[in-house]
Amino acid sequence: MSPLTARVLGPADRPTAADLPALDRPPVIWEDDRWWRFTERTDLHEARYLGVYGPGGDLVALAPLLVTRDGGGLLFYDVPKMVGDLGAFGDPERLPDGDRTRWDGLVTDLPDARRDQYPSLALSVFGSHLGLVHAADRTPAQRREVLAELPRLLDDAAEQLGCRSTGLLYATDEQAALIGPAAEARGHTPAVLGAESVLRLNAQDWDGYLAALTSRKRNRLRRELRDYHEAGFTTVIRHGADALTDSVVDLQVALRAKYGLPGGRARVQRDFDAIRETVGDSCMVVSAEREDETLGFVLYLRSGQALYARTAGFDADRARGVYFSLTYHETVRWSLANDVREIWYGLAAYEAKRLRGCDIEPRRGWFRFTGDGHRTLTDTVRLQGDSEDQRLRSLGPHRTITRGD
């Protein structure tokens, strides 16, 4: 029996960067104390933390928890809501005929089955990241022990909080090698949740980057940039909290309206205000501008030699064709000149990201449902994860070397 124990902590009593130095400007922005303070400001989940303690009572690891009281949480962290929703993950068209028929039968029962799975608990953090942070002095063996015990500790936390479902979400392959066997032994159902797309810049400068591309990719890049500039666009880079201008807010509001996302301007303004007040000094906004008007943007958060894409927005009518030039070409050009060596683009749109040189790194999760209808959810998420796995396999070999223990 492992000597590790855990306590559920609230935002007011969780350790900060002063208590756990690993939270102070880490290489991964989603593990930063400042980002966790941003997450704590959400009104869609309740932020809690899993404090993991050694036999002497010392804190050895800390992980974010998101509690959802009903079905109104953010899709990627509301565990029952994720199941059967292809906006979260999955592509059932890829399933064999028998499984696809089974899928069709299951999803009709999902609305009723979801209702009895709340409150729900997710171990993860905004950014589609597991979020587990180890104390800096821990050995590799000690870190592996924490990973292997996470499913048990999460079950204990769920019991303390009275939660009827859990998700241990967005683990890397390295983490999954230790979490997976322990989670499945406790009855947690595994699922592939998608993949992180990471562009690693090995060239020393822009000319070297271009030279390393195939002629076909190089010609496409030059054509896209030529069209971008001939359309009158100029790229502007802004840093810090003041980079989140009213124009950026306007574009984000329009984008959410286009896709029918809830919240409106008040929600976008509130989120951007929270970003300014927590990780504002890590913000970088790359904008496509014409005649002093911002028609497209990408918001990145910088941590060390990495950029993490947070959100983007483009004028649907006047910025056609701008997305790739701004998000990839202009961002890469700036990165190579400013000591950035990795750009993390997040989940989804894998074909386009792979085409532009990104490594596709799977993210894995484990689900447990205990309320009425749990079998429907368990069977659905298993098929959903299988279909996502097939989607990723169709892209070719994946990298497995990434940050995360």
Side-chain angles (χ1 to χ4, degrees):
M1 183 69 178
S2 171
L4 297 178
T5 59
R7 293 204 304 269
V8 176
L9 308 172
D13 56 3
R14 75 157 171 89
T16 65
D19 310 302
L20 188 65
L23 293 171
D24 185 16
R25 307 288 174 134
V28 180
I29 192 72
W30 318 127
E31 299 173 7
D32 194 308
D33 175 80
R34 299 171 304 141
W35 182 250
W36 289 9
R37 284 191 279 115
F38 168 79
T39 302
E40 288 165 4
R41 294 176 62 159
T42 180
D43 58 358
L44 299 175
H45 304 266
E46 296 174 16
R48 297 288 186 273
Y49 296 89
L50 186 74
V52 182
Y53 298 87
D58 294 331
L59 180 72
V60 299
L62 188 67
L65 301 172
L66 294 169
V67 181
T68 311
R69 294 293 172 185
D70 53 33
L74 288 172
L75 175 59
F76 287 89
Y77 315 96
D78 183 331
V79 173
K81 189 176 178 181
M82 292 173 73
V83 180
D85 192 320
L86 304 183
F89 66 100
D91 184 4
E93 295 294 335
R94 296 177 182 272
L95 293 171
D97 290 344
D99 286 346
R100 179 56 202 265
T101 300
R102 174 67 174 147
W103 168 274
D104 291 340
L106 288 165
V107 295
T108 60
D109 296 329
L110 281 177
D112 289 336
R114 288 190 184 110
R115 289 193 193 99
D116 202 47
Q117 307 305 321
Y118 294 100
S120 184
L121 182 64
L123 193 158
S124 61
V125 69
F126 295 171
S128 299
H129 189 73
L130 184 69
L132 177 69
V133 173
H134 300 272
D137 61 350
R138 303 287 286 170
T139 67
Q142 290 171 326
R143 294 177 181 225
R144 289 194 293 270
E145 181 186 17
V146 171
L147 285 164
E149 290 299 314
L150 267 189
R152 173 179 67 84
L153 300 175
L154 180 61
D155 284 350
D156 291 347
E159 184 175 355
Q160 291 180 49
L161 293 167
C163 291
R164 295 175 177 172
S165 61
T166 62
L168 210 167
L169 307 177
Y170 306 113
T172 65
D173 279 349
E174 295 93 332
Q175 293 168 330
L178 294 162
I179 296 172
E184 292 178 51
R186 297 186 65 85
H188 297 227
T189 302
V192 176
L193 304 180
E196 179 68 51
S197 305
V198 189
L199 184 60
R200 293 183 168 86
L201 303 175
N202 300 313
Q204 295 303 306
D205 54 30
W206 179 246
D207 289 338
Y209 174 78
L210 292 177
L213 299 176
T214 64
S215 60
R216 182 178 179 181
K217 289 183 178 180
R218 186 163 55 247
N219 289 338
R220 183 182 59 244
L221 180 154
R222 285 172 170 161
R223 182 178 64 254
E224 289 173 346
L225 278 178
R226 183 178 63 249
D227 292 345
Y228 175 77
H229 292 296
E230 287 180 352
F233 287 104
T234 300
T235 300
V236 178
I237 312 288
R238 295 183 176 88
H239 301 273
D242 293 339
L244 298 173
T245 62
D246 288 343
S247 296
V248 167
V249 174
D250 291 341
L251 286 169
Q252 183 66 191
V253 170
L255 181 72
R256 293 184 66 83
K258 176 182 177 181
Y259 290 103
L261 299 174
R265 188 175 190 86
R267 162 84 175 273
V268 172
Q269 189 70 62
R270 185 174 67 247
D271 284 354
F272 279 1
D273 286 346
I275 287 175
R276 286 189 190 95
E277 295 164 16
T278 54
V279 291
D281 59 344
S282 294
C283 289
M284 184 181 96
V285 174
V286 182
S287 299
E289 303 192 3
R290 186 169 61 195
E291 298 177 355
D292 296 325
E293 187 176 11
T294 300
L295 298 178
F297 82 92
V298 186
L299 167 62
Y300 297 98
L301 301 176
R302 181 169 184 175
S303 186
Q305 291 186 305
L307 292 180
Y308 294 84
R310 173 58 184 166
T311 191
F314 296 86
D315 187 298
D317 297 320
R318 295 183 292 165
R320 293 178 181 175
V322 166
Y323 175 83
F324 290 118
S325 294
L326 194 68
T327 307
Y328 294 95
H329 313 328
E330 293 291 79
T331 297
V332 168
R333 192 203 304 266
W334 183 90
S335 296
L336 288 167
N338 291 275
D339 197 32
V340 169
R341 289 294 172 260
E342 295 180 347
I343 307 172
W344 293 65
Y345 284 111
L347 283 66
Y350 305 120
E351 292 84 357
K353 292 172 181 176
R354 186 68 173 259
L355 188 63
R356 282 161 176 80
C358 290
D359 294 322
I360 305 299
E361 303 182 352
R363 293 295 182 262
R364 304 181 185 278
W366 297 266
F367 296 78
R368 183 168 178 261
F369 304 99
T370 64
D372 290 343
H374 61 88
R375 186 174 297 278
T376 295
L377 288 152
T378 297
D379 291 348
T380 302
V381 81
R382 181 178 289 110
L383 292 174
Q384 194 172 353
D386 288 348
S387 71
E388 185 69 21
D389 185 41
Q390 291 183 41
R391 186 212 305 264
L392 296 183
R393 289 181 185 277
S394 73
L395 299 172
H398 311 307
R399 284 179 63 100
T400 58
I401 300 174
T402 187
R403 295 192 179 117
D405 300 294

